[in-house]
Amino acid sequence: GVESTVNLGLSIMPSSVAVVGLFVIGCFISVSMGTSVGTITAMTPIGVGIAEKTGIAMPICVGAVVCGAMFGDNLSMISDTTIAAVRTQGCEMKDKFKENFLIVLPAAIITAVLFFVLARGNAGEIEGNLQYDIIKVVPYLVVLIGALIGVNVFLILIVGTVLAALVGVGTGAFAIGELFQKMGAGVTSMYDITVISIIVAAIVALVKEYGGIEFILNLIKKRINGPRGGEFGISVLALLVDCCTANNTVAIVMAGPIAKEISDEFGVSAKRSASLLDIFASVGQGMIPYGAQLLTAAGLSALSPVQIMPYLFYPILMGVSAVLFIVFRRRAA
C-alpha cells in the first residue's frame, strides 16, 4: 500500500520536485497511518533511490522523509501521540486537530519551499518501475477522510484494518492464511509502548499522590503567570520530558497530568493544551539524534543522524510557529 501510494505520487510529480514530493507523500502516509517510524521505514529506501538517481544529496532526501513523517505523527487523528494528548487533556479530537493544523500549516508550507530551493537544478530522471495499484491506496484514503470528517477513532481504525485486510488478500499481497499473522505482528509492534504507558501512568499517579506534581506546579508558578505563561510552561515541559525519554508518546503520558493542572490553573483551553503537548513532544522527537525516528532513518540510509539533522526543517519550524502563535494569537474570552 505504501509503495503504491509513493509510486502514484512520484508518477504525478516531475523529477524536479522529487524532494518536495517525498515530503508531501510522507505527510499523506503518516497522517493516514498515524506512525512516524512506520512511514520512515517504508519511505527511506525510496528516498535513497531518488538521491542516487537525481544526484540530490542523500541527507536532503532522507531529511524530507523524516519531516513528512513527523507531520503526521503530530497531526494524525489515529496517532498514539494525538490520542494520548487528547485523553490526558480532556478535549475533542476534532477540536485538537483544528487547533493543531492552524499552527503547523505555515511550517509545512515553508518546509516544502525550502526543499524545493535546495533541490533546484538536480532534476535527473527517476527511472525504474513506478507501477501502482489504486485499490491499495484506498485504505489510506478512507482512514484519512474518515478521521477528517470526525468519525470515531476506534471505528475508523477498525474500518481501516478490515479494508487493509480485504485489499491485501484480494490483490494477493498475502494469503488469507497469513491474515491473522499480519494482524498479530501489528498488535505486537504496539506492545512495548502499551506496557510502558501503563507503567508511566502508574508512576505519575504515585508522584501525584506524594506531592511531586504539586512541587513541579509550584516551581512553574514562580516563573510564569497568565494563559500565555501557562502555554509556555506546557510547551517547555513537553519538550524537556521528550528529550529525556526519547519517546513522544511516553513524554505526553508523563507530562499530560501536569499539563492539565497547568491549563486549569492558568486558563489554557484543553484543545490548546493538547495541541502544544503534541507539538513540542514532536519537536523534540523529530530532532534528537537518539530518537527512534532518526536512528531508523540513519540505519536504512547508511547515514549518521548528525548528517540528517541540518535538513530537519519541519520540526524546527513547527516549534517556531507554535512559539509565534503563543505570543501573538488572541485568546478566547
Side-chain angles (χ1 to χ4, degrees):
V2 172
E3 185 179 356
S4 279
T5 303
V6 173
N7 286 346
L8 174 61
L10 293 177
S11 65
I12 294 171
M13 297 180 181
S15 57
S16 58
V17 294
V19 177
V20 179
L22 278 175
F23 171 65
V24 173
I25 296 167
C27 290
F28 172 79
I29 292 175
S30 59
V31 169
S32 303
M33 291 176 66
T35 165
S36 54
V37 174
T39 302
I40 290 168
T41 301
M43 288 197 60
T44 298
I46 297 166
V48 170
I50 287 176
E52 292 171 347
K53 292 171 183 176
T54 61
I56 300 169
M58 193 176 297
I60 296 176
C61 291
V62 177
V65 170
V66 176
C67 287
M70 294 314 300
F71 178 87
D73 192 293
N74 164 249
L75 198 62
S76 173
M77 281 190 262
I78 59 170
S79 167
D80 46 4
T81 60
T82 296
I83 294 169
V86 168
R87 295 295 292 175
T88 58
Q89 303 310 296
C91 66
E92 292 291 328
M93 191 78 69
K94 60 182 180 180
D95 294 333
K96 185 265 185 189
F97 176 84
K98 292 175 184 176
E99 185 82 10
N100 210 344
F101 185 73
L102 290 172
I103 296 174
V104 302
L105 182 61
I109 293 171
I110 297 172
T111 297
V113 171
L114 288 172
F115 279 125
F116 176 77
V117 172
L118 273 178
R120 190 174 53 185
N122 295 279
E125 288 300 317
I126 303 174
E127 299 173 350
N129 185 11
L130 290 179
Q131 182 180 357
Y132 60 87
D133 190 343
I134 196 69
I135 192 67
K136 293 181 180 179
V137 184
V138 169
Y140 294 115
L141 290 173
V142 170
V143 169
L144 179 60
I145 294 169
L148 290 176
I149 63 177
V151 177
N152 178 273
V153 174
F154 190 66
L155 178 60
I156 199 66
L157 284 171
I158 292 174
V159 171
T161 302
V162 172
L163 271 178
L166 291 174
V167 170
V169 173
T171 58
F174 48 83
I176 192 167
E178 298 178 86
L179 177 59
F180 290 101
Q181 180 184 344
K182 301 294 183 184
M183 293 173 67
V187 172
T188 303
S189 70
M190 290 302 297
Y191 176 78
D192 290 347
I193 192 67
T194 303
V195 173
I196 290 169
S197 295
I198 292 171
I199 293 171
V200 166
I203 292 171
V204 171
L206 286 171
V207 170
K208 183 176 182 179
E209 179 68 23
Y210 288 96
I213 289 181
E214 186 177 351
F215 172 79
I216 295 171
L217 287 173
N218 289 334
L219 199 65
I220 292 172
K221 287 177 189 176
K222 293 176 183 178
R223 291 164 174 77
I224 62 176
N225 57 73
R228 185 174 284 110
E231 290 173 10
F232 272 118
I234 291 168
S235 304
V236 172
L237 177 68
L239 181 62
L240 291 178
V241 174
D242 181 78
C243 290
C244 293
T245 60
N247 186 301
N248 46 345
T249 304
V250 172
I252 291 169
V253 172
M254 288 187 71
I258 303 173
K260 179 62 175 170
E261 296 278 354
I262 295 173
S263 64
D264 291 342
E265 178 75 20
F266 293 98
V268 179
S269 67
K271 63 181 181 180
R272 186 165 294 189
S273 176
S275 179
L276 292 174
L277 259 181
D278 204 351
I279 285 173
F280 280 93
S282 293
V283 167
Q285 193 65 26
M287 294 172 58
I288 54 176
Y290 49 89
Q293 286 77 2
L294 271 182
L295 290 175
T296 300
L300 291 169
S301 60
L303 297 170
S304 75
V306 176
Q307 288 176 283
I308 304 170
M309 287 174 68
Y311 304 103
L312 299 177
F313 304 127
Y314 179 72
I316 297 169
L317 290 169
M318 180 167 56
V320 172
S321 180
V323 169
L324 292 175
F325 265 73
I326 292 172
V327 173
F328 294 110
R329 193 172 180 196
R330 278 174 35 179
R331 278 140 191 87

